[in-house]
Amino acid sequence: MPVQKNSTAVAEHVAAVLRDRIVKGELAARDRIVERQLSAELNVSRTPIREALKLLEADGLIEITLHRGAIVSDYKPEDAVVLFDVISVLESLAAKRVCEGMTPSTLQRLEDLHGQMLEYHHAGRTNDYFDHNTLIHDFIIQSCANPVLITTHNRLMIRARRGRYLAIMNQPRLEQAVAEHENLMQAFRHESADKAAQVWETHLRHTGETVAAVLLAEADI
């Protein structure tokens, strides 16, 4: 029998598991999510699974259809373009604000995250690199001291993270992205807020362009 726990907590856990699978392509666009199979796999009842699916539907990650049930939403090149057009501006502003208010502890945290990300990159540990790369982006957002920016960014990134994982599968873009992260750190080290903003906006726009290109190539296969 499935383990019964607090329904809301279980639903959030199931939603987090499914989000990660969608982001990393383990669940591709138009894949069907079968409640019965998920219930058996995660050892939870069907009720929190249905609650989790509603959360993912609100995020725009899945569609709940009459005949097929829950299926992963399409992610089209034009979706990536418009998402990263906005995200690049938000993250650029966040980087500028963080740089303007830089403290030794904030810089050290960024150095630690950056150093660990580089280690994963050099070791070829793609999933760990992606997860740590995400930590860097999230830390900059959370440290910008602008609650409106933070809330808006969080909502957009739920959908956009699918694209960021696709982008690091492209080796030339991966090398370019690592260099852009190092350029950002140089701007932070020298407390050059305008440079940090410019580097980070370019970085996110490049990501959006790569995601769109990857999605377009997949559509042509």
Side-chain angles (χ1 to χ4, degrees):
M1 288 292 293
V3 176
Q4 301 297 324
K5 300 177 182 178
N6 179 276
S7 180
T8 300
V10 175
E12 290 173 350
H13 169 69
V14 173
V17 169
L18 292 173
R19 280 193 196 99
D20 189 65
R21 293 179 183 181
I22 292 170
V23 163
K24 294 180 177 176
E26 296 170 24
L27 285 170
R30 314 315 294 174
D31 277 355
R32 185 166 172 251
I33 300 172
V34 182
E35 292 181 19
R36 182 180 64 258
Q37 293 177 355
L38 197 60
S39 175
E41 177 192 352
L42 300 181
N43 196 32
V44 299
S45 70
R46 300 279 284 275
T47 298
I49 287 177
R50 287 168 183 156
E51 292 174 0
L53 294 177
K54 290 178 181 177
L55 293 174
L56 294 178
E57 184 182 34
D59 292 340
L61 294 179
I62 70 168
E63 303 166 14
I64 299 178
T65 68
L66 181 62
H67 299 295
R68 294 193 63 202
I71 59 174
V72 179
S73 299
D74 283 326
Y75 194 42
K76 300 176 182 178
E78 54 267 31
D79 297 331
V81 171
V82 296
L83 274 170
F84 280 93
D85 191 37
V86 177
I87 288 168
S88 64
V89 176
L90 291 175
E91 295 213 23
S92 170
L93 178 58
K96 182 175 184 177
R97 293 293 179 255
V98 169
C99 195
E100 288 171 343
M102 187 64 70
T103 65
S105 62
T106 297
L107 181 60
Q108 186 58 57
R109 176 59 175 159
L110 286 162
E111 294 282 12
D112 292 344
L113 290 170
H114 180 66
Q116 186 64 68
M117 184 197 73
L118 291 179
E119 287 185 22
Y120 288 140
H121 169 59
H122 294 317
R125 293 169 58 177
T126 303
N127 281 347
D128 290 328
Y129 167 86
F130 176 76
D131 290 340
H132 233 71
N133 183 294
T134 299
L135 286 177
I136 293 170
H137 283 264
D138 288 350
F139 180 74
I140 291 170
I141 291 295
Q142 294 301 320
S143 302
C144 76
N146 184 323
V148 175
L149 189 157
I150 292 169
T151 300
T152 304
H153 181 270
N154 287 346
R155 292 297 301 172
L156 292 175
M157 280 309 297
I158 288 172
R159 286 179 287 162
R161 277 207 170 97
R162 293 170 72 182
R164 288 185 58 244
Y165 192 79
L166 284 171
I168 69 167
M169 297 296 104
N170 179 293
Q171 190 62 34
R173 171 55 192 151
L174 175 58
E175 297 301 328
Q176 182 187 50
V178 171
E180 288 165 352
H181 271 260
E182 178 57 35
N183 289 340
L184 178 70
M185 289 306 303
Q186 289 290 354
F188 282 157
R189 290 164 188 148
H190 293 95
E191 297 186 13
S192 176
D194 288 340
K195 181 65 174 178
Q198 180 267 318
V199 167
W200 219 222
E201 181 171 355
T202 299
H203 174 67
L204 271 299
R205 289 194 183 279
H206 283 165
T207 298
E209 291 165 3
T210 303
V211 173
V214 170
L215 291 171
L216 188 60
E218 288 184 348
D220 290 338
I221 294 175

